[in-house]
Every structure is written in structure tokens, then in C-alpha cells.
Amino acid sequence: MENDAVNELALKRNPSLVSLIYEKLENMILSGQLRSGDPVNERALSMQFEVSRAPIREACRRLEQAGLVSIIDNRGAFVREVSKTTATEVYDVARLLSSEAARHAVANVTDEEVRKLTAMVEHIERDANRDDLSSYYAHNDLFHLELVKLGRNDKLAELYRSLNNELTLYRQRGLRSFPDFERSLAAHRSIIEALARRDSAAYQQALDAHSTKMTERLLNLGV
Amino acid sequence: MENDAVNELALKRNPSLVSLIYEKLENMILSGQLRSGDPVNERALSMQFEVSRAPIREACRRLEQAGLVSIIDNRGAFVREVSKTTATEVYDVARLLSSEAARHAVANVTDEEVRKLTAMVEHIERDANRDDLSSYYAHNDLFHLELVKLGRNDKLAELYRSLNNELTLYRQRGLRSFPDFERSLAAHRSIIEALARRDSAAYQQALDAHSTKMTERLLNLGV
DNA sequence: AGATTACCGATTGTCGACAATCTGTAATCT
DNA sequence: AGATTACAGATTGTCGACAATCGGTAATCT
């Protein structure tokens, strides 16, 4: 099931080898298949994927820019270890961006978007009810990214996405807190509700409260 | 004077070929030597620097991540054209980060830092008096970056630096507004002064006003 | 003439080989 | 024995060559 990754890559093609390899590796890291500190060996991967080292190497450099691996000169790439200090910094910036986006969201949001977001919330609730944690986390992240996009600033949204990836890596590093479903889902509901009412103050307040709560929970884990 | 770039690179060494090439190219772009839309040809550069294409290629990918070039598949890298829309977005995020850093600056700043910043302001003033625009711009950017670092969030400062590089590219794209020295230098003075007094409100207000003024001036150029 | 197709030059994409560099271990010296 | 040095293995860094792909131009067709 894993050694036909070759064909996977060979067939899809055109999205460029590097992109495919990048996504594969990103996924392996964010899903926890590769853990913090693990080496990312160019030759080993080039044999595993049956391509030369060049595209692998390039993908690794992209992973570095994305903050997912650290590269040590002449030593190679290693899945990054995100310290609590760094994670705190990243959280702070992500919250700042999210909050800024929220300030502009209500003025721009369309009915269509409210419907889409509502659907996403419901999807997350289904994941929670089925205890499908991995899907829950993924869709939760997507939901929040979509909220940020309401700020109508592509650059800001892109930065947010990138920061959130780093945070996912941090969360992945060790024991993972079991989410407080009840509280979290309720928060989502009130966020969406305020948005539907076009109540900017309530929306910003609900979102900030939710973000702060999440941050606290996640940072108080590793102690 | 320019074609011994070869020896420059060959001698410095160890900071890795890629880093040297990256910095060289970054400098060529930010200084306006390479202008928006110009192709960044791998083979040409590899001959100019007398290295193989591999390190050039890698440097180009880093430039892309830094937002300084766009890469089109199978077509190569081109110095990026930053639209006014994008520049506005980037400005908004940069201002947000700067403002957030300002909120924490007074609580943390040391006397040593105040001295250093004062020296930087004086340096900028000398540049202004000598009408050394290129030095003026460079030190002005450094000054503002140093202010952001007072926020004690490395990640935030790094993002700010990166965003500012993109903005430099935007400014470089066409006609450049002649700076309003008098107003700008006065603003620097009051920023530093508020900082020295540890007057947080005044500091934040002075900095935000200055940033906003700069933004307006720069964005109203290309119309 | 206008549109379509086939080709050509230029550039990037990928490859396999070799050089440079680092880490850890074993041999040597005091 | 402890410290130092020399070596070996593994990995990245760099290179030159070839393949794939793109844009534009010239030849062809209607």
C-alpha cells in the first residue's frame, strides 16, 4: 500500500514532481508519520520514490521555508522541533492575523459564504460525533482558515495558513490534548450565528474568545 | 568592478554558495539593478558567477519564497511585479505587525536599545542631509525593523522583515516618491522620545501615525 | 490574407557521478 | 587511562549532460 507511491507519483504528473513530493512529505509530517527530529534523507527518499535526488532536495528546501524542517549544512534536513517558546510566538501572530481579519469580515461576508461556513461547522460536528479526530482537526483548521479569508486579504490569509501549519507540527510533537468538543462546537455555533446576524462586535468577540481558549489549552500541554 | 563577482564568491566561501548567490541576487533586486519583469536566467547566472546551475536554481527558489521573483513552470524565474492591490495587502499586514510589536515595546526596551535606536536615527538624519537616498532608505528600513524587534517576538519580526522586502520591491518598480525628510525625521524623533520616556500610549500613537503617513505616500504614487 | 500546423531555439526539469564535509570510531601517543 | 589524531562511512554539495517543455516563427493549407 505504501510502495506504489511510485505509480501514484508517476501517474498524476504535471503538477510537477517537486510539488507532488512536497505535498507527500508535508502530509507525512503534518500527519505525524514523520516525527520531530526525524531525518529527511535525500537518497533514501529518492530511492523510495524512484526519482533522482534533485526534486527531493528542492522539496526539502520548500519544507524548510514552510517551517516544517530545519536544514543543517552538510547534515541534511530534520523534521523541525518546535519549542514551546516558538509555538507561543507563532500562536500570538496567528491570533493577531485572525483577529484583524475578523474586524473586516462582517462588512464583506456574503450569504453564500455563510452557508458554506455553516456546512463546514456541521461537517466538523459529524467528525466529532464519530470521534474521527484526524478529520476533525483537519476540517477545524480549514474552517478557521475560511474565516480568515473573509478579511479579504490574500496575503494575510496565506501567512495565517503557513503559521497554522507550523502549529500543527507543534501539536503533533507529543501527547495531544483531547479536544473539548462540547465547548468548541458551541463556540463555532455562536461565531457563525454572529456572522449571519452581521453583528461585527459579537463576531469578533466570539472568535477571539474561542482562539484564546484554544491557545491556552494547547500550550498548557507540554508544560 | 563588476566582473570580479566571481572572486568575491570564491573567496568568501563557507557561508555556502547558495547563500552568497541568494544575497547577491536579493541585493540586485532590492537595489533595482534587476527590475520587475526581468528574467532571472539560470544558465546565464551560472556562467556569470562561474558555478553550476544547481546553486543558482536553489537560490531562485528561495527568492520565490521571499516573494521577490515569480517562477513559471518550464519558463523560469522573473523578478516579481507587485500590483498595487498586493502592495496594499502587504502594507496592511506589515502595519498590523508593527503596531502589535509597539504594544509590547515599552515594557521591554532597555536603555542600551534606546541608545542604539537614537544612534540609528542620527545616522538616518546624516543620510538625509547628504541626500544619500539609497543609504537613507536602507537605514530607515533597518530602524523600523529594530523597533519591531522590541516586541520580543522573533517570528513576528522575521515576518515583518520579509514583508518589508516585498514592499521594497514594490517601491523600486517605478518612479519613487522623494521622501518628506522634514516630516519623517521629526516623526522618528518623537517616536524615540516617547520610547525613552517609557510612554507607551504616546509611542504607539507616534509610530502608527508615522506608518500610516508613509503608507499613504507610497501607495498614492503609482495611482 | 488568415488561420493552422510543424518545427526550431532557448530554457527549465531531471538525472547520475563525483567532490566536499561532517560525525563517530579506532588507532596512536603521552 | 586519557587525550589527540587519523581514518572510514555516510550524507550533502556541486557539477556537467541529457530529456522534456515552452514560445515563437516559418511553412503550409484553405
Side-chain angles (χ1 to χ4, degrees):
Chain A
M1 180 182 175
E2 194 50 44
N3 50 3
D4 53 12
V6 186
N7 302 335
E8 266 181 61
L9 295 183
L11 289 176
K12 281 185 183 173
R13 211 88 208 294
N14 231 20
S16 107
L17 265 186
V18 175
S19 308
L20 293 176
I21 293 165
Y22 175 84
E23 281 173 30
K24 183 95 187 156
L25 289 177
E26 178 183 82
N27 193 40
M28 287 172 76
I29 293 174
L30 293 183
S31 75
Q33 214 169 327
L34 282 171
R35 300 180 66 84
S36 281
D38 285 356
V40 182
N41 185 300
E42 291 180 5
R43 181 168 303 278
L45 288 171
S46 81
M47 285 166 62
Q48 181 179 342
F49 293 154
E50 284 185 347
V51 298
S52 87
R53 270 176 55 213
I56 304 278
R57 187 182 175 78
E58 199 170 312
C60 285
R61 302 310 157 126
R62 279 211 229 168
L63 287 173
E64 185 192 25
Q65 286 299 322
L68 297 183
V69 307
S70 315
I71 290 179
I72 307 177
D73 282 342
N74 294 311
R75 288 289 298 158
F78 301 83
V79 178
R80 187 160 158 221
E81 316 222 26
V82 179
S83 70
K84 187 169 176 177
T85 305
T86 300
T88 305
E89 291 190 359
V90 176
Y91 264 117
D92 285 343
V93 178
R95 268 219 317 270
L96 179 69
L97 297 182
S98 166
S99 179
E100 172 70 6
R103 286 185 45 227
H104 301 116
V106 164
N108 297 308
V109 68
T110 67
D111 291 345
E112 173 64 23
E113 285 169 327
V114 172
R115 274 194 296 277
K116 181 178 176 188
L117 288 164
T118 305
M120 294 181 84
V121 165
E122 287 164 359
H123 197 310
I124 294 171
E125 292 178 352
R126 281 198 297 281
D127 287 336
N129 289 331
R130 288 181 308 156
D131 275 329
D132 185 343
L133 274 191
S134 118
S135 180
Y136 172 83
Y137 282 122
H139 287 94
N140 196 54
D141 281 352
L142 280 179
F143 171 63
H144 283 280
L145 175 59
E146 216 58 36
L147 290 182
V148 169
K149 283 185 183 168
L150 297 180
R152 302 289 188 264
N153 182 325
D154 290 344
K155 186 75 191 179
L156 187 150
E158 170 55 26
L159 286 178
Y160 177 86
R161 199 194 58 77
S162 163
L163 292 174
N164 195 60
N165 269 0
E166 275 190 72
L167 291 176
T168 300
L169 175 57
Y170 176 73
R171 297 188 207 108
Q172 209 73 38
R173 89 201 173 300
L175 46 172
R176 204 160 168 171
S177 76
F178 196 83
D180 184 344
F181 283 143
E182 195 173 342
R183 194 188 282 276
S184 207
L185 297 178
H188 288 175
R189 285 286 180 183
S190 45
I191 287 168
I192 287 289
E193 194 196 317
L195 195 62
R197 286 204 319 270
R198 305 296 197 274
D199 183 339
S200 189
Y203 174 72
Q204 290 177 51
Q205 202 258 328
L207 187 50
D208 280 350
H210 180 48
S211 306
T212 303
K213 178 65 63 182
M214 297 291 289
T215 306
E216 280 171 12
R217 279 181 55 76
L218 286 160
L219 288 178
N220 286 338
L221 243 196
V223 176
Chain B
M1 182 184 176
E2 195 51 45
N3 49 4
D4 52 12
V6 186
N7 301 333
E8 267 181 60
L9 295 185
L11 288 176
K12 281 185 186 175
R13 212 84 207 295
N14 233 20
S16 105
L17 265 185
V18 174
S19 306
L20 293 175
I21 292 165
Y22 176 84
E23 280 173 31
K24 182 96 187 157
L25 289 177
E26 178 182 81
N27 193 41
M28 285 171 78
I29 293 174
L30 293 183
S31 73
Q33 215 170 327
L34 283 170
R35 300 179 66 84
S36 282
D38 286 355
V40 182
N41 186 299
E42 291 181 4
R43 181 167 304 279
L45 289 171
S46 81
M47 285 166 63
Q48 182 179 341
F49 293 155
E50 286 185 345
V51 298
S52 89
R53 269 176 57 217
I56 304 278
R57 188 182 175 76
E58 198 170 313
C60 285
R61 302 310 156 124
R62 279 211 229 169
L63 287 172
E64 185 192 26
Q65 285 299 323
L68 297 182
V69 307
S70 315
I71 290 180
I72 306 177
D73 281 342
N74 294 311
R75 289 286 300 154
F78 300 85
V79 179
R80 183 156 160 226
E81 316 222 24
V82 179
S83 70
K84 188 171 176 176
T85 304
T86 300
T88 305
E89 291 190 359
V90 176
Y91 265 117
D92 284 343
V93 179
R95 268 220 316 272
L96 180 68
L97 297 182
S98 164
S99 179
E100 171 70 6
R103 286 185 46 228
H104 300 115
V106 164
N108 298 309
V109 68
T110 65
D111 291 345
E112 173 63 25
E113 284 169 328
V114 172
R115 273 195 295 277
K116 181 178 175 186
L117 288 164
T118 305
M120 293 181 85
V121 165
E122 286 164 0
H123 196 311
I124 294 171
E125 292 179 351
R126 281 198 297 281
D127 286 336
N129 289 333
R130 288 181 309 158
D131 275 330
D132 184 342
L133 275 191
S134 120
S135 180
Y136 172 84
Y137 283 122
H139 287 95
N140 196 54
D141 281 352
L142 280 179
F143 171 62
H144 284 278
L145 176 58
E146 216 58 36
L147 290 183
V148 169
K149 284 186 183 169
L150 297 181
R152 302 288 189 265
N153 181 326
D154 290 343
K155 186 75 191 183
L156 187 150
E158 171 54 28
L159 286 178
Y160 177 87
R161 199 194 58 76
S162 164
L163 293 174
N164 195 61
N165 270 1
E166 273 191 74
L167 291 175
T168 300
L169 176 57
Y170 175 75
R171 297 188 207 109
Q172 209 74 38
R173 90 202 173 298
L175 47 172
R176 201 161 171 170
S177 76
F178 196 83
D180 184 344
F181 282 145
E182 196 174 340
R183 192 187 284 275
S184 208
L185 298 179
H188 287 176
R189 286 286 181 181
S190 45
I191 287 169
I192 287 290
E193 195 197 315
L195 196 61
R197 285 205 320 271
R198 306 295 198 273
D199 183 339
S200 190
Y203 173 71
Q204 291 177 51
Q205 202 261 330
L207 186 50
D208 280 350
H210 179 50
S211 306
T212 303
K213 178 66 62 185
M214 296 291 289
T215 307
E216 279 170 13
R217 281 180 54 78
L218 286 160
L219 288 177
N220 286 338
L221 245 195
V223 177

